[in-house]
Amino acid sequence: MLAVPASAADVDAGPLTSRDSLFPHQGNGGYNAQSYHLDLTYVRHGHALKGLTTMTARARQDLTSFGLDLEGLNVSRVWVNGVRASFHRGSDKLVVTPVRELRTGSIFTTRIQYAGVPHTHVDPDGSSEGWIPTADGVVALNEPVGAMTWFPNNNTPRDKARYRFTIHAPKRLEVASNGRLVRRTTRHGIGTWHYVMAKPMASYLAFLAIGQFKIHHGRTSDGIRLLSFTDPKVPAPTAALRKLPGILHWLQTQFGPYPFADAGFVDDKIGVDYALETQTRPTFDGTVPITDLVHELAHQWFGDAVTPADWGDIWLNEGFATYTEWLWAARTGESTEDQFTELLAAHPAGDPFWQTPPQDLGDPANLFGNAVYERGAMTLEALRETIGDVAFNTTIRQWYVGHRGQSTSTAEFIDLAEQTSGQDLTSFFHNWLDQPTRPTGW
Ligand code: TRP
Ligand code: ZN
């Protein structure tokens, strides 16, 4: 067996962390992933998986070994630059030791062959993610850390990469994933689906949905290719399918051009009770309420194109997507100001609502809590009321245009808001994002 533990004293061993504030064991230093190719075979019996994942990366330091995140599964072989490499498993890690040390700046290819029945990962808040078997197939959803249950990767939103997927499944099943469906072939009872996600993507936004689906094709008037998948066993989300192009158009008028060439959504009976902004094609659990569709589509700009580098900055995703729901509602109903005022009235000073500041969640179980969604959106409305519509709209649009394709931070957002408004917003953001109390006087 090729299993050699790396020495702790080895100074050129890549760190097995990305130093995330909420998930310190996730991610790996030492390299930047550039692209992944996932060649996966879904085995219906037992919902098992056979995989061949190829990661191309650039070494950020000399590397005698480096890590990838991987939970469960049996790794049979690893190659680096085409040569068999030794490896060992740590907790949720695959540590690879190539025959030759990798030099700073060099581009290298790691290929990992593996198989098994992937785990469903249970989050600190009790929700399920990762590999989730359904009645007629499987769905893989990755926020925040589930990607490691079905493919080895650098599991941090700090390290975005391009993706290609080659997915094999029994031919009577359909396969949805990210980006453009470039080809679909059938041989010996197996269907093979080729997807390309040409723009950078964080691993938590990669997904698969395999099962029996009705496929809906289309194209928006400005040329975005639409491809949606709906489960024939749940009521058809006809309103969502009809409104998708119009919502995409409206979002572009608010924030700037749609970040990708492909769009759509997946609706499947999953049983997780949340929707996810999977890149280009958000995933819904059996129903697609229009407000949720607006929320997940808003994430394509905020979360998917512009991605927080650290999970502690997740209000940049959820605050923005929730604020977009307010903007959507304001078209025909209550203004964002009134929605904000109502929330303020509902949460007087001393209400536990204020105890968890968006930028100081403490516990990863708070990742999808009220502080992140509602106080995050309130922060944006308070910002608009502080710097005015013109500076606010410029800030939001610039945030997208200046950071799309990248991973970024709250500090950069504050800098931008200060630059566009010409105001010192230090105490404003400190009160809204860092303090366990109800802000006053913004
Ligand atoms: N990010 C998702 C959204 O708001 C929500 C989400 C993902 C979630 N995973 C979760 C919510 C786990 C609760 C629990 O669009
Ligand atoms: Zn969201």
Side-chain angles (χ1 to χ4, degrees):
M1 190 69 209
L2 292 162
V4 185
S7 150
D10 181 350
V11 292
D12 289 345
L16 303 179
T17 174
S18 59
R19 303 195 167 82
D20 189 87
S21 63
L22 293 174
F23 296 91
H25 302 297
Q26 293 291 316
N28 305 273
Y31 64 88
N32 275 331
Q34 298 187 323
S35 67
Y36 294 92
H37 176 216
L38 275 49
D39 187 321
L40 308 178
T41 302
Y42 169 62
V43 182
R44 185 90 176 81
H45 184 75
H47 302 284
L49 175 67
K50 286 190 222 162
L52 191 59
T53 288
T54 307
M55 177 186 76
T56 302
R58 178 189 290 271
R60 301 180 61 212
Q61 58 169 81
D62 289 349
L63 286 171
T64 48
S65 70
F66 58 91
L68 295 104
D69 299 284
L70 184 64
E71 174 186 346
L73 296 162
N74 302 306
V75 174
S76 46
R77 289 174 184 188
V78 177
W79 296 262
V80 173
N81 293 333
V83 179
R84 285 284 288 276
S86 61
F87 62 90
H88 71 273
R89 301 294 300 273
S91 83
D92 296 345
K93 292 287 179 190
L94 169 68
V95 182
V96 177
T97 305
V99 171
R100 293 159 135 277
E101 182 167 351
L102 300 163
R103 291 291 167 207
T104 309
S106 65
I107 309 270
F108 63 99
T109 299
T110 307
R111 174 165 294 188
I112 298 132
Q113 188 184 64
Y114 58 99
V117 177
H119 294 177
T120 302
H121 185 95
V122 178
D123 286 333
D125 69 0
S127 50
S128 294
E129 54 152 343
W131 190 257
I132 302 165
T134 61
D136 56 4
V138 68
V139 172
L141 297 176
N142 300 347
E143 192 184 26
V145 301
M148 64 178 170
T149 69
W150 56 288
F151 67 100
N153 68 92
N154 194 20
N155 207 8
T156 165
R158 195 175 288 283
D159 192 10
K160 294 165 72 154
R162 292 174 178 80
Y163 281 73
R164 281 197 303 130
F165 301 85
T166 307
I167 312 297
H168 314 277
K171 75 163 196 259
R172 55 187 187 77
L173 301 181
E174 278 75 39
V175 177
S177 188
N178 310 90
R180 172 80 41 98
L181 173 59
V182 289
R183 201 150 36 96
R184 179 186 166 180
T185 57
T186 307
R187 240 181 105 189
H188 307 311
I190 300 289
T192 298
W193 300 63
H194 302 262
Y195 282 88
V196 175
M197 184 63 246
K199 294 269 174 75
M201 176 164 76
S203 55
Y204 83 89
L205 296 166
F207 88 109
L208 275 186
I210 304 178
Q212 280 162 342
F213 288 109
K214 188 168 169 4
I215 296 187
H216 311 261
H217 293 274
R219 192 182 271 274
T220 65
S221 55
D222 49 1
I224 302 166
R225 219 182 278 214
L226 301 176
L227 180 64
S228 295
F229 295 74
T230 60
D231 184 342
K233 290 185 291 302
V234 302
T238 45
L241 287 165
R242 194 177 64 244
K243 293 190 177 184
L244 173 65
I247 297 170
L248 285 170
H249 176 78
W250 175 77
L251 288 166
Q252 299 195 77
T253 65
Q254 301 297 304
F255 306 134
Y258 179 70
F260 311 113
D262 298 84
F265 65 82
V266 174
D267 183 24
D268 193 8
K269 202 167 181 229
I270 312 169
V272 288
D273 237 21
Y274 61 81
L276 188 62
E277 62 266 29
T278 41
Q279 190 155 308
T280 67
R281 206 159 278 122
T283 306
F284 296 85
D285 189 5
T287 141
V288 191
I290 298 306
T291 313
D292 295 10
L293 182 60
V294 168
H295 178 109
E296 304 308 335
L297 292 175
H299 274 310
Q300 302 305 310
W301 281 257
F302 304 112
D304 295 17
V306 180
T307 306
D310 189 284
W311 285 111
D313 284 343
I314 194 177
W315 83 276
L316 291 171
N317 288 5
E318 303 305 346
F320 279 63
T322 304
Y323 191 69
T324 309
E325 292 178 41
W326 296 10
L327 288 170
W328 176 258
R331 289 160 53 254
T332 51
E334 267 189 320
S335 67
T336 56
E337 190 172 354
D338 288 349
Q339 295 177 74
F340 174 62
T341 308
E342 252 169 50
L343 263 181
L344 275 176
H347 300 294
D351 188 311
F353 175 87
W354 301 107
Q355 270 167 20
T356 314
Q359 272 274 276
D360 191 9
L361 298 176
D363 183 337
N366 295 326
L367 205 58
F368 302 111
N370 281 343
V372 167
Y373 285 71
E374 296 193 318
R375 189 164 162 182
M378 292 169 88
T379 302
L380 291 176
E381 175 61 18
L383 177 66
R384 188 183 72 77
E385 295 178 14
T386 300
I387 66 177
D389 277 333
V390 174
F392 179 74
N393 291 336
T394 308
T395 302
I396 301 300
R397 283 169 170 269
Q398 266 305 113
W399 181 239
Y400 166 63
V401 171
H403 296 275
R404 58 185 158 187
Q406 302 171 5
S407 302
T408 181
S409 67
T410 299
E412 297 231 28
F413 181 71
I414 295 174
D415 277 355
L416 176 63
E418 291 190 330
Q419 270 170 40
T420 42
S421 67
Q423 294 183 28
D424 178 352
L425 298 168
T426 318
S427 64
F428 172 89
F429 281 109
H430 182 60
N431 292 339
W432 275 99
L433 298 176
D434 307 332
Q435 296 281 88
T437 46
R438 190 181 194 262
T440 48
W442 52 90

